[in-house]
Amino acid sequence: MGTPEFAVATLQALVDNDYNVVAVVTQPDKPVGRHGSVLQASPVKQFALTHGLPVLQPEKMKDPVFLEQLRSYHANLQVVVAFRMLPEVVWDMPAYGTFNVHAALLPQYRGAAPINWAVINGETRTGVTTFFLDKDIDTGRVIKQLPFDIADSYNVEDVYNGLMALGADICLQTLELIVEADGHPAAIDQNAMLSDVGELHAAPKIFKDTCRIEWNKPSKRIYDFVRGLSPVPGAWTTLVAPDGKSSVLKIFATSKTNETTQAAPGSLSVVHRQLFVATVDGLLRIDELQAAGKKRMPAADFLNGVKDIERYILA
């Protein structure tokens, strides 16, 4: 059960290692295009169809027709990767239960966007966890964990790609444990892990307002915030012109500096064709951005099309 590209790597690992995938469950096709007249299949569905795997796409997980279809496959086990919350009637159906591949080291970063929030919060390590589903979100018994180091230069795409491959690995390792234990591998209650993980960080869904940059914060916080949202969905700010007109500016990459400044947060400056913005504790260099109606570009190219940029501010 899964929908995005992240889940395809695990499905491919199952197929390549000759596991008997009796069916695939994914989200309904999504309307795309200017008028929403074209339906686009999820990456998981596209992969499944090319490998001749049956595909189920329920609108509602408690739909009696879907439940009957699901039961008809007599699956011993269900594997969930980047899908949706399942009702008990679904996750409790197989004899061996249902386990989830989660892109964080639980109990840290429970929620919909664990990769983004780990980078936003400046973590130097994250990982993947397999756990048995239960009635709450991301709280089930942990089967296995694998760590992943986050370099200071990584953006969320780098971590996503690393965890996508690691997720496929941990799925195969978890399946071996489950088979060896006849469906009952050793698993740890997350409550027993709480004393070792310190302050818990959540990973709620990210919305547009979540992505707005606050320049009155330290440079390191903003640097992490930008890379934790790059390239998708992208951190953004408002570019305010000298005449008061404003437009949205997306920021995809920045660099930390050792430069201090007395300028107000959000103030812009240019040195040797490089664009800098003031934060609460210094200057941050803007490396890649996207102006409204334009393509993503290096900051130097952006400067070629804007006069007197130092009279603008970011708010």
Side-chain angles (χ1 to χ4, degrees):
M1 298 185 179
T3 296
E5 178 193 16
F6 190 90
V8 173
T10 298
L11 178 56
Q12 180 164 359
L14 295 175
V15 172
D16 290 348
N17 286 272
D18 297 323
Y19 281 95
N20 183 21
V21 181
V22 294
V24 170
V25 183
T26 190
Q27 296 278 46
D29 294 356
K30 184 179 180 181
V32 295
R34 180 173 297 180
H35 304 291
S37 57
V38 178
L39 292 178
Q40 185 177 66
S42 73
V44 163
K45 179 181 178 180
Q46 293 176 41
F47 178 90
L49 292 179
T50 60
H51 289 77
L53 301 174
V55 176
L56 305 179
Q57 296 178 272
E59 291 281 352
K60 296 180 180 179
M61 299 304 292
K62 292 183 179 180
D63 180 353
V65 174
F66 162 68
L67 294 175
E68 188 58 35
Q69 286 179 313
L70 195 60
R71 287 191 191 96
S72 72
Y73 288 104
H74 304 290
N76 301 105
L77 178 73
Q78 291 172 160
V79 180
V80 179
V81 187
F83 190 45
R84 56 196 287 188
M85 188 172 180
L86 302 181
E88 183 173 359
V89 67
V90 173
W91 58 256
D92 194 43
M93 189 179 295
Y96 288 178
T98 301
F99 77 82
N100 187 90
V101 178
H102 186 73
L105 296 176
L106 293 173
Q108 291 288 13
Y109 294 103
R110 294 167 174 163
I115 304 176
N116 298 94
W117 285 109
V119 181
I120 288 171
N121 289 337
E123 301 284 2
T124 57
R125 172 169 282 199
T126 185
V128 287
T129 300
T130 51
F131 67 96
F132 284 115
L133 265 64
D134 63 14
K135 294 180 180 179
D136 296 314
I137 299 176
D138 301 334
T139 59
R141 293 174 298 127
V142 169
I143 308 167
K144 190 173 182 63
Q145 294 187 315
L146 294 175
F148 179 86
D149 292 332
I150 305 175
D152 188 60
S153 61
Y154 284 0
N155 64 17
V156 75
E157 184 175 51
D158 299 319
V159 182
Y160 179 99
N161 290 335
L163 294 184
M164 180 166 59
L166 201 61
D169 291 342
I170 199 173
C171 176
L172 296 178
Q173 293 178 34
T174 300
L175 284 170
E176 291 176 5
L177 293 174
I178 291 174
V179 171
E180 290 171 0
D182 193 26
H184 301 284
I188 304 172
D189 189 313
Q190 287 192 41
N191 289 326
M193 305 170 69
L194 294 177
S195 60
D196 297 325
V197 299
E199 179 187 357
L200 284 183
H201 299 286
K205 187 175 181 179
I206 290 176
F207 299 95
K208 181 179 178 180
D209 286 347
T210 314
C211 303
R212 185 166 190 163
I213 302 170
E214 297 179 18
W215 298 106
N216 59 346
K217 289 186 176 181
S219 295
K220 176 63 165 62
R221 288 279 301 277
I222 299 172
Y223 171 79
D224 291 336
F225 186 79
V226 169
R227 66 193 183 99
L229 296 168
S230 179
V232 177
W236 64 275
T237 186
T238 300
L239 179 67
V240 183
D243 62 4
K245 293 182 180 179
S246 63
S247 60
V248 172
L249 194 69
K250 279 195 171 185
I251 310 293
F252 291 102
T254 63
S255 294
K256 293 172 288 184
T257 76
N258 295 319
E259 301 296 327
T260 59
T261 181
Q262 299 299 314
S267 300
L268 293 168
S269 57
V270 179
V271 179
H272 302 305
R273 300 296 299 163
Q274 294 182 325
L275 179 62
F276 296 86
V277 58
T279 70
V280 75
D281 65 351
L283 291 178
L284 194 66
R285 192 179 75 205
I286 298 176
D287 296 325
E288 289 185 72
L289 47 72
Q290 182 178 8
K294 303 291 185 180
K295 294 182 179 180
R296 177 175 172 175
M297 66 183 73
D301 292 348
F302 171 74
L303 290 174
N304 289 335
V306 182
K307 294 182 179 179
D308 301 323
I309 189 64
E310 292 175 322
R311 296 180 59 198
Y312 290 67
I313 60 169
L314 299 181

